[in-house]
Amino acid sequence: MINDKGEFGKVSKIKNKKIKKTNILLGFICILLAVLLGFILVTSYKSEQKESRHLSEIADDQQSGIEDYEAVKERAKELEEISSEEAEDTEDIKSKNTEDTKDTEKTDTADTEDADKTEDTKDKTTAASGIVCWGDDLINGEESNTYSYMTVLQKLLTDNGYNMTVINKTLQGGGTLSMMKMAGVSDETIQSYITKHQQAANGAQLNVTETGIRDLTEEQTTRNDMDCIPVIFMGYYGGWNHDPAELADQQEQILNTFQNKDQFIVVGTRPMDGSVTSEALDQVLSQKWGEHYISLADVTAQPSSTYEAQQAMAEAILQKLQELNYISKN
């Protein structure tokens, strides 16, 4: 019995030792596992921290990149605006340069045209062989050779150094219809005025100058003045039915027979019968002829047929010839 107990106790001790070893082994394994787990946890934590830092750096880089991108965009926008402004300035400069060029071209063209006009004027002045007086001669007989405006004008031209001849194509006591006939205006045109006068009279007696035409000599109808500067002074004895507009039209009929229709002077005086006032006549003729017109009433208060009036008229014509650059001393 004792042996059995002893044997049992020995077995029990051995078993306990095994269990103890097993427990120690298990404990050691647990420790190892715990250490391993701790190591894994630590490693994992470090890895997570590292990844977190990396992600944070990436995020920072992305944010920085975004900010840089926005800054670049903003700078690009500024540069684009500056470029646009510079382009506009350049375009303005180009436009201004173009306008300046056009203005310069216009100025050059204008200067050229002015020079051409001046040259044309010089050519025309040179081409004019003299001055011819058409219309009324209010100083009759031999006195006309001394006191008429034509004689005085010739003397004034010579005394002032102008080598210009004054030609006399006036009619003493003649009406405007006869003057047109002498100038070569067509019979049909002259007859149209006569018919108009007769219709307006409605059977009443008309002055002879309103319907009649003077018999003219061959010398009177021969034209040797086509290249001269005409001075037209007509209407004192009638022939235009007391209508200043018709007188202006008849003056134009004579003017149209000349080669150069741009160079001329028209002088106006009220008719002998006083049927039209100087004011009424001047209003129509000055509007028709502009700078080419001389009102005798503005030049002198003396009656048209006086020596004083003829002198004043000659002086006014010389001044007008100079103002219009029709004559030259060269």
Side-chain angles (χ1 to χ4, degrees):
M1 248 347 247
I2 296 174
N3 290 334
D4 292 336
K5 291 182 179 178
E7 188 69 26
F8 177 77
K10 190 183 292 185
V11 171
S12 178
K13 287 181 181 179
I14 294 170
K15 186 177 180 180
N16 288 337
K17 285 181 180 181
K18 288 182 180 181
I19 291 172
K20 186 177 180 180
K21 288 180 179 180
T22 299
N23 288 336
I24 291 171
L25 180 61
L26 290 174
F28 180 75
I29 292 172
C30 287
I31 291 170
L32 288 176
L33 291 174
V35 171
L36 180 60
L37 179 60
F39 176 77
I40 292 173
L41 291 175
V42 170
T43 303
S44 176
Y45 176 77
K46 288 182 178 181
S47 177
E48 288 177 359
Q49 289 294 315
K50 184 177 180 180
E51 183 67 20
S52 177
R53 285 195 302 270
H54 180 65
L55 292 175
S56 178
E57 290 173 357
I58 292 175
D60 291 341
D61 291 340
Q62 288 178 341
Q63 182 63 31
S64 176
I66 292 172
E67 291 175 355
D68 291 342
Y69 175 72
E70 293 297 330
V72 170
K73 282 179 62 180
E74 187 66 25
R75 180 57 180 167
K77 184 177 180 181
E78 292 176 0
L79 292 175
E80 184 177 355
E81 291 176 353
I82 292 172
S83 177
S84 177
E85 291 175 357
E86 290 177 348
E88 291 177 358
D89 292 340
T90 303
E91 189 64 27
D92 290 340
I93 293 171
K94 287 182 180 179
S95 178
K96 186 176 185 303
N97 289 338
T98 302
E99 292 176 358
D100 290 342
T101 301
K102 290 181 179 178
D103 291 339
T104 303
E105 291 175 352
K106 288 181 179 178
T107 302
D108 292 342
T109 301
D111 291 341
T112 302
E113 290 176 353
D114 290 340
D116 291 341
K117 289 180 180 178
T118 302
E119 190 63 30
D120 289 343
T121 302
K122 290 180 180 179
D123 292 342
K124 291 175 182 176
T125 302
T126 303
S129 62
I131 298 169
V132 60
C133 299
W134 272 86
D136 300 313
D137 181 0
L138 304 186
I139 306 296
N140 297 322
E142 290 298 323
E143 292 179 323
S144 178
N145 296 328
T146 304
Y147 300 106
S148 72
Y149 81 92
M150 295 167 290
T151 302
V152 177
L153 178 60
Q154 180 66 79
K155 185 175 185 304
L156 289 173
L157 287 167
T158 302
D159 291 347
N160 284 276
Y162 296 104
N163 185 24
M164 299 288 287
T165 301
V166 177
I167 300 174
N168 182 357
K169 296 291 286 186
T170 62
L171 283 176
Q172 292 183 346
T176 56
L177 299 177
S178 297
M179 293 170 189
M180 285 191 291
K181 178 68 174 179
M182 188 169 72
V185 177
S186 70
D187 292 337
E188 181 181 0
T189 299
I190 297 173
Q191 185 58 49
S192 68
Y193 289 114
I194 295 173
T195 302
K196 181 180 177 181
H197 299 170
Q198 292 171 336
Q199 291 174 345
N202 195 23
Q205 184 66 34
L206 288 172
N207 188 293
V208 64
T209 58
E210 302 300 325
T211 58
I213 299 174
R214 180 178 296 186
D215 291 332
L216 301 169
T217 66
E218 183 179 353
E219 181 182 357
Q220 289 174 318
T221 56
T222 299
R223 298 295 301 272
N224 60 347
D225 62 329
M226 304 293 285
D227 59 350
C228 292
I229 301 170
V231 175
I232 302 176
F233 174 63
M234 56 189 277
Y236 185 76
Y237 297 109
W240 40 281
N241 202 29
H242 318 294
D243 181 3
E246 183 175 311
L247 176 59
D249 188 67
Q250 292 179 356
Q251 291 167 338
E252 189 170 18
Q253 293 289 344
I254 293 178
L255 177 61
N256 287 338
T257 65
F258 286 86
Q259 293 177 357
N260 182 10
K261 300 179 181 62
D262 296 327
Q263 289 186 318
F264 64 93
I265 293 174
V266 175
V267 182
T269 186
R270 69 174 181 82
M272 180 179 62
D273 60 10
S275 58
V276 178
T277 64
S278 296
E279 292 79 12
L281 186 78
D282 290 340
Q283 182 179 2
V284 174
L285 296 186
S286 62
Q287 183 176 2
K288 171 72 174 179
W289 302 118
E291 64 178 356
H292 299 272
Y293 183 65
I294 297 173
S295 167
L296 194 56
D298 291 343
V299 172
T300 177
Q302 298 295 323
S304 306
S305 59
T306 63
Y307 300 159
E308 293 83 0
Q310 294 289 293
Q311 175 75 30
M313 180 174 167
E315 292 173 354
I317 292 172
L318 175 62
Q319 181 178 352
K320 182 65 69 172
L321 288 167
Q322 292 170 331
E323 288 177 359
L324 297 176
N325 196 30
Y326 287 171
I327 55 178
S328 174
K329 295 181 182 181
N330 297 330

